[in-house]
Every structure is written in C-alpha cells, then in structure tokens.
C-alpha cells in the first residue's frame, strides 16, 4: 500500500507564447518509509511535479489540467484549500533548494522553527520552543538553546539547510519532499546533509521524495528512481536496476556525463551522444543513437596535448591577501582576516591548475588577487615573465586582454540590458580590437559559432537563454580578447550535470585548439580531476597539498584532501548493491 | 544602537553649521535686502539707524561671527519683517499648526496609501490593482494647488460640508489634510505595491505556504515587514516635509503655519527668518532620517550587525 499515488498528473503553464506542458501525464507511487528519487535536468518538470502536490504552483499562469494524487484518502489535487493547508506542513513537509533565500530574513530562527507547530495547533509556545531546540540538536547544530534565537543571516548555508530540515521534520510528518536540497551547497556540506537526511529518515521512518539533477546523489540515497525528461517519466525502477541496466538513452546519457574519479575520459560523454530527438507530427520522439556505444569508445581515444613544464605562464610566490575587519565608526581595524596566507604555485603554458577547497578557504580571493581584482597584501605574481602584483587599473589594462575570467553565475554576470552582440563586442572596442563595429560583429558571430551557439543569437538578450547557453556566452566573451589565460571561478558549479558536461568539454576543446592556460577553481574534486593537470588543495588560506592531479587523487597525503574526495557521491553499481543489500 | 544615534547626532552639528553658513552667505549674495521694498526708505539717517539696529553696518565677517555666536546659544535673532519679534517666537507659534496639519496629512497618506498599495499587490493585474494605481498616478500628477481648490469647490461651495478656509474647528482639518496627504498617499501606494510584490515573490514566502500557513498569515507575518521597508525609507523625508508645512496648502486654506513664513521670508529678504526656517527644516530632516534608520534597523535584522 503506497502512501502516495500520483496518477496521470498534468500541470501546464498558459503563457503568452503558448502552452508549456511542464508536467504532462506522469504517474508514480511512493512506498511508506522509502526514498523515491526524482531525477532530471532543469525544466524537466520535477519541481513542478512536487509543487503541484503541495498546491504551490502559481495559478495563473499554471493550471493542473488533469490527474490525481491520493494521500491517505485525500486527493491533494482536488481537495479544498483548507484541507490541503491542514496536510501541508503537518503531514507532508518540504525543504527547498536554496537555504540562503528559503528562510525569512526578518524573523528569528526560533520563530520560524516553531511556526508549523503553532499553525497546526500541535503545541503551545513554550512547549514548541523546547521541541524546536531538541530538533535543532538532532540536525547537528551545537548550542541549540542559544543559537535558536539567531537570525538566518548569522548561519552558514549548510547550517541553514539543517534548520530547514529541522523545520520540516518538527511536526513528525509522514512524508517529506526535498527539492534539490543540496544543489546550492559545497560537496563536503552536501555529503553531511545527505548523511543527516539518511539518518533522520531511518530514525523517523518518514517517506521521502528527493529531487535532484545529479544521479550520484540518487545513488547514495534512493530506493526507487523516477527519471524525468521534458515533462514525462522516461524510466522508473529500483535504484540498482536503473544504475545497472539503464533502458532509456536519456538515463544512459545522464549516467555517463558525470565526471568520475575512476574514469579516464578526456572528453565527457553527454546526453546528446545517446539521445536522438525527432519531431514527428508535433510530438517529440526520443530514441537511442545507433552508434552511441562506438562513439563513447572513440571519446576515450582523444589524447592530451604535450605540456612543457618549464614554459611557465604564471608564477605565484608567497601571495598574501589580508582584509581588515572594522569594528565600528570610531574604532580602527578590529582584526585581520588572512584570506590568502602566503601561497606559491606555478602554471605551465597550456595546462590547467585545479584550485580546490571548501567555501571560505581563499580560493576565489587567490584568483582575484592574481588578476589584481583585489590588491595582494604581499607576494609576487609573474605573468609571462612580468611582475604584475599590485598593478593599478591603468597598468593592468593591457594585461586584461591576455588574462580573462569566467564567473560562477551566468545569470548575474551578463548585463540583462545588453544584447549578446553588445556583450561580446564591448571588450573588443575597449581594447581596440577590430577596425569598426562591423568587423567586431563578425568576430562575435565567429565566437558564438566556436562555443556551439547560433550566430543569429547575437541580437537576443541574456534572459532568452538557458543557464548553460549563458555560460557559453560568458566563455565567448572571455575569448573575444583572445586571452592566453582564463580563470574559471566555479564556472560550472551552478549547472546541471548534463549541461556541466557540455561546458567542460567546450573548455577542454578550446584549450587544445588555442593553447589556453586555465586556473580552474571548484569545490567539486571530480570536476577538477577531469579538467586539471596539476592541482592545489587550499584550506584556511594556505595550500596544504599540491602536485600532479592524478597522483593526489590516487594518494592524498592530507586528511583534508581525503575528506574532499570522500564527499563526492559514490555511484558505482557495486556500492549501490552493497547499500541496498 | 545608542552609539549609532549618538554618532549621527554628533554628525548633525557640522551639517547644520554648513547649512547655516551657506544660507547666510547666499542670502547676502542675492540682490536686495530686507529694507529694499517697493517704497525704499528715502531718509538716509533712518536707514542708517535701522542697519545699526540689526547690526548690518558692521563688516560681513563680524556679522557672520555674531550670527554663529547667537546660533550656538539657540538664538536665531530678531525678525526683520515681524517687528519686535524674535524668529524663535515666530517659529514656536507657527510650527504647531503646520505640525498638526502635517500629522493629519501623514495619517491620511498612510491610511490611503498602505491600503491601496496592499490591495493592489494582492490582486495583481486585476481591476483592484489597476483602479487604485490609476488613482495614485492621478494623485501624483495633479498638483496640490489644483486639488485644493477643486476640493473647496465641491465640498465647501457646492455641498457646503466644510468651511472653505480657516483653522478653528476639527472639521477645518479635513480638506487641507486630504489635499496635502493625497499626494503623499499616491507615492506610498506605489511604493507599498512594489515592495509587497517584490517580497511575495521571494522563496521564503513559498516556505511559509509550505508550512501550511493561511494566506493572511503569510502576508501579515512573513510579507509585511520586508514589503514596507521602501515605504519606511520614503517616510523620513516625507514626514519632515509634511511637518514643516506646505506653502501652497497653507495659502489656499488660509492657515497661519510655518510654510508661509518660509516662502514669505525669502521674498522679503528677511535674512534671519530665512536662515531660521531653513535651519529648522534641516534639523527636522536630519531627525526624521535618523528615526527612519533606527526603524529600518529594527525591521531588518541584517542591518544590525554592521
């Protein structure tokens, strides 16, 4: 007997550009005490599915056209708002993707934690507060009795997600919906949160729907898996069979495109290597490419270019960046934050240095200091034999052309009011590349082509593109000045694994074609392993381990590095077989 | 918090000094003086005596020093126009009337503006949104010197509900308060709508819904605080302006308030009166901005740590 039975659910959005069938006739069950993973890329309809169950779809433009969702005698789709409110937050609780924005910044943690108990009349204030403190301790927040009176901004991202979990589970719900709860977190924090969820699930016996774009997370956690693509379920089954014998080409692609520690791919397979989409009479038909297996085989044959270890493009010696912490208006510096505390490394021309560590370890500041976007306090940065540390804006200008940067968030790093043409030609006109605008526009078109986008996109605005397309545009913008060096600061961290694979392949391809040198900053070691030749692990502003990337993965000498490697979700079939027993 | 308030009050001193100095010298730079009217004083001896009485025969630098010396003691000096009266007295007499009108107007502005803005934001893109927002736009576009006479025309002259002018009974407060408050209500309505729409699209509002909170609770408990922050920021300077009096409204309704002194003093080159009212207004602005900052910190915990 399932705790939740969803049948033929259809949620469509009626927009100005026509009907978007976000969820189009899906059915699945959730067994009591089990974890169901729903996996798919952005726009596949997985979030809309659970929002439909919870009555959280904005209507209009959304409308639930058809279907039912039976939960203990009630149809969540058809029941009255009052009835649904009595279930929501009490018997079915939910946690969301972004812990930074999902807690109310104006209310104390305590207020928000006890709210579900008060709303549903489960406890009096005093008693609720006691329960909330106990719950906070349970999700691993120390000094809960004191910290419960803090505001959300005083907590880190991982701690806020713990608070969200405590808030969801405080009413002892029968069912928990987790909508990408770890996507916005570092790999190490993700591992902690996943472990916590697993423990609590086993402890409380709650049934869970877990939504993610990452099959690795599913492998760690789920009992059953639903794979969604374009509003449909393309495949569902128990976790072992999905990983062991994926049937649908989309599932195969999704499994293959994760960079793995143990794989030696030089080019990552992508979903489109497996999946053929053909439009037949207005319907999209999905089929497997006939030559997929052979193609994947050939990807492994691609060879790396030769790197001359002595031809250094970048040499950093004893770099320090200190920030002073101000106490107030009257008083001088209170303390010194040593964001980067004396680090040294070299990057040979045409190679990639991976810079890894958790949030706050100083890796981003290091990158910015190299580009003089923040002023280094101490130390030397030599670029192509020239000392550039502490250069001011004017002195850096000629170098900006040669040193470019790609940021994490492609949504906020493109000006929404500039067309793609303007975004791509602006750096060229600043640096006097191209004689007139027509020439620069032609170059921009060629750049779009090089990053795999249509030249007709030049006249569009950023909001018309998906996240992956935008990051390609950011790559094109960085390339527009024909740099020798590109700093990729968490350039793929905000992306779905399937899109991530495409962008990583693009960056690699460009490196080979143009002999580019990268510093690749990431918290995800599997991504760095794929990209980097050498690697440096940072903790607390210092490099604690550096050297050949392959060797560090094989034999990490520091416990911290070990921890980062262990945090990567394991998704081997043998691991899953062992886990599900 | 107390440190912030003390610091801001300390910072106000140099600001006021600069305002006083600028006003002092700008007035002296303008053509004409307090004794140059349509019928200038012909008798040279009387003129000299007058100048000497007000200390204007001394060099400008010592006039300035005297002015600052008196100012520090809180004395704004004698008025040039209102003979035998001190600027302090005039302000003390007129300000309560302007302040009362301002408070009534503020009440009207808040009540109308918040209600209209809230309704509009909750019923986005419906009749209940378009209608109040169109009214608000009209309220912003129609100046008080048109709105005031229109109200007088319809409610005093036609319907004879209210007096056309005067400041005696409580009833006399209604039309001026509507005229002055109406314009501010329009701004507040637009700010409230914008602020609420912004907040209601936030992720934490979805979280509140997911907890099973009722729509009313979501709006009042989770939405209002953040949604009203832009209104609060606007209210500081607005309240200062309202309390200091409105020349137009006070003239239309014949209210002997501070706003009229402000403008008339400038016409009359009543040096001390102008500096006095300007400084008074500047003080109000500083005070209300401080109050707004304190309220914002109280509303928004993220501002407290810095």
């Amino acid at each position: 007997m399932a705790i939740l039975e969803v049948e033929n659910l259809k949620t469509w959005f009626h927009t100005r550009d026509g009907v978007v069938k976000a969820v189009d006739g899906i059915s699945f069950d959730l067994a009591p005490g089990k974890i169901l993973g729903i996996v798919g890329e952005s726009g596949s309809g997985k979030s809309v599915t659970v929002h439909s169950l919870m009555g959280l779809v904005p209507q209009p433009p959304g409308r639930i056209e058809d279907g039912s969702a039976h939960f203990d005698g009630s149809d969540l789709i058809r029941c009255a708002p009052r009835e649904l409110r009595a279930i929501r937050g009490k018997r079915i609780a939910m946690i969301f993707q972004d812990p930074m924005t999902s807690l109310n910044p104006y209310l104390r943690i305590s207020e928000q934690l006890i709210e579900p108990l008060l709303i549903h009349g489960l406890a009096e204030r005093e008693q609720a507060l006691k329960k909330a403190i106990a719950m906070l301790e349970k999700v691993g927040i120390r000094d809960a009795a004191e910290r419960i009176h803090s505001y959300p901004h005083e907590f880190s991202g991982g701690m806020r997600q713990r608070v969200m979990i405590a808030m969801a589970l405080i009413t002892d719900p029968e069912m928990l919906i987790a909508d990408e709860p770890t996507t916005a977190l570092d790999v190490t924090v993700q591992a902690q949160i996943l472990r916590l969820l697993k423990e609590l699930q086993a402890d409380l016996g709650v049934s869970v729907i877990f939504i993610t774009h990452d099959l690795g997370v599913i492998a760690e956690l789920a009992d059953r898996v639903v794979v969604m693509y374009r509003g449909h379920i393309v495949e569902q089954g128990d976790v072992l069979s999905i990983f062991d014998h994926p049937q649908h080409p989309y599932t195969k692609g999704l499994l293959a495109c994760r960079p793995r520690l143990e794989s030696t791919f030089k080019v990552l397979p992508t979903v489109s290597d497996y999946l053929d989409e053909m439009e037949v009479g207005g319907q999209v038909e999905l089929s497997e490419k006939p030559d997929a297996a052979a193609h994947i085989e050939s990807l492994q044959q691609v060879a790396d270019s030769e790197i001359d270890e002595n031809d250094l493009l970048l040499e950093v010696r004893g770099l320090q960046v200190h920030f002073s912490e101000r106490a107030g208006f009257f008083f001088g510096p209170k303390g010194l934050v040593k964001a980067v505390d004396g680090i040294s490394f070299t990057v040979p021309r045409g190679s990639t240095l991976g810079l890894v560590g958790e949030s706050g370890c100083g890796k981003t500041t290091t990158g910015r200091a190299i580009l003089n976007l923040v002023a280094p306090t101490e130390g030397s940065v030599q670029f192509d034999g020239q000392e550039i540390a502490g250069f001011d804006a004017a002195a850096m200008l000629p170098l900006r052309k040669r040193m470019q940067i790609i940021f994490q968030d492609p949504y906020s790093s493109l000006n929404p009011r500039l067309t793609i043409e303007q975004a791509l030609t602006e750096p060229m006109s600043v640096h006097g590349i191209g004689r007139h605008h027509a020439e620069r526009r032609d170059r921009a078109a060629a750049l779009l082509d090089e990053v795999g986008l249509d030249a007709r996109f030049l006249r569009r605005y950023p909001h018309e593109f998906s996240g992956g397309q935008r990051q390609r545009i950011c790559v094109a913008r960085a390339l527009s000045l024909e740099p020798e060096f590109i700093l990729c600061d968490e350039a793929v961290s905000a992306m779905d694994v399937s899109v991530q694979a495409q962008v990583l392949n693009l960056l690699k391809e460009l490196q080979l074609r143009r002999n580019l040198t990268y510093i690749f900053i990431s918290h995800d070691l599997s991504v760095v392993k794929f990209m980097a030749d050498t690697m440096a692990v940072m903790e607390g502003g210092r490099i604690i381990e550096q050297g050949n990337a392959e060797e560090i993965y094989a034999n990490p000498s520091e416990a911290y590095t070990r921890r980062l490697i262990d945090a990567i979700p394991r998704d081997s079939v043998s691991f899953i077989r062992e886990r599900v027993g | 918090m107390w440190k912030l308030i003390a610091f801001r009050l300390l910072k106000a001193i140099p600001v006021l000094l600069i305002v006083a100095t600028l006003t002092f010298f700008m007035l002296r730079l303008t053509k004409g003086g307090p004794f140059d009217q349509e019928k200038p004083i012909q008798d040279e001896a009387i003129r000299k005596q007058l100048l000497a009485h007000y200390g204007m025969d001394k060099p400008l630098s010592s006039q300035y020093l005297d002015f600052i010396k008196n100012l520090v003691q809180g004395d704004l000096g004698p008025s040039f126009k209102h003979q035998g009266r001190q600027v302090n007295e005039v302000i003390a007499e007129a300000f309560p009337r302007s302040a009362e009108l301002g408070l009534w107007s503020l009440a009207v502005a808040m009540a109308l503006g918040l209600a209209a803005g809230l309704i509009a934001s909750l019923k986005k893109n419906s009749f209940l949104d378009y209608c109040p927002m169109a009214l608000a736009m009209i309220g912003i576009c129609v100046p008080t010197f048109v709105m005031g006479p229109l109200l007088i025309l319809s409610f005093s002259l036609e319907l004879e509900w209210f007096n056309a002018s005067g400041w005696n009974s409580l009833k006399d407060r209604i039309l001026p308060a509507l005229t002055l408050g109406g314009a501010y209500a329009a701004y507040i309505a637009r700010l409230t709508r914008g602020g609420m729409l912004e907040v209601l699209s936030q992720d934490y509002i979805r979280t509140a819904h997911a907890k099973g909170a009722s729509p009313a609770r979501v709006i009042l408990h989770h939405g209002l605080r953040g949604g009203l922050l832009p209104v609060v920021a606007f209210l500081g300077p607005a309240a200062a302006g309202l309390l200091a009096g409105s020349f137009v409204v006070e003239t239309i309704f014949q209210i002997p308030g501070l706003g009229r002194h402000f403008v008339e003093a400038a016409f009359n080159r009543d040096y001390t009166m102008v500096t006095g009212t300007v400084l008074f207004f500047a003080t109000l602005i500083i005070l209300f901005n401080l109050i707004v900052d304190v309220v914002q910190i109280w509303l928004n915990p993220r501002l407290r740590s810095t």
Side-chain angles (χ1 to χ4, degrees), chain A residues 189-338:
Chain A
V189 184
Q190 162 170 295
Q192 293 164 16
I193 296 288
L194 289 180
R195 198 178 322 127
L196 174 70
L197 273 173
K198 249 192 296 194
E199 281 167 19
L200 288 172
Q201 193 269 339
D203 202 19
L204 305 170
V206 55
S207 320
V208 178
I209 296 182
F210 193 100
I211 294 181
T212 178
H213 64 87
D214 186 356
L215 269 169
V217 174
I218 295 281
E220 287 262 345
L221 207 64
D223 300 300
R224 261 187 87 77
V225 187
V226 164
V227 184
M228 283 189 76
Y229 185 66
R230 292 181 159 219
H232 298 275
I233 292 179
V234 293
E235 185 167 3
Q236 60 178 312
D238 65 79
V239 62
L240 190 58
S241 69
I242 292 278
F243 277 82
D244 208 4
H245 310 287
Q247 297 300 312
H248 197 274
Y250 177 71
T251 318
K252 289 181 190 171
L254 213 51
L255 275 170
C257 68
R258 297 189 74 233
R260 280 191 180 74
L261 285 181
E262 62 274 11
S263 85
T264 53
F265 277 121
K266 297 299 173 213
V267 179
L268 284 172
T270 59
V271 169
S272 57
D273 289 333
Y274 290 88
L275 189 67
D276 228 357
E277 300 185 47
M278 276 211 304
E279 209 161 303
V280 185
Q283 291 283 351
V284 179
E285 296 232 338
L286 306 176
S287 58
E288 183 158 358
K289 284 192 176 156
D291 54 349
H295 180 70
I296 304 301
E297 196 72 28
S298 72
L299 289 182
Q300 285 176 304
Q301 309 306 319
V302 178
D304 263 343
S305 60
E306 287 294 308
I307 295 163
D308 177 4
E309 303 264 330
N310 296 317
D311 181 14
L312 297 182
L313 183 67
L314 193 71
E315 195 172 353
V316 174
R317 291 268 163 261
L319 186 70
Q320 292 182 22
V321 185
H322 296 178
F323 298 112
S324 54
E325 213 173 56
R326 284 176 64 88
F329 304 106
F330 292 117
F331 313 103
K334 184 170 85 179
L336 214 55
V337 179
K338 297 182 175 175

Side-chain angles (χ1 to χ4, degrees), chain A residues 563-578:
Chain A
R563 202 141 49 87
L564 287 177
I565 294 175
D566 285 343
I568 300 166
R570 289 151 291 178
D571 63 352
S572 65
V573 172
S574 58
F575 164 75
I576 298 170
R577 187 166 286 136
E578 194 178 316

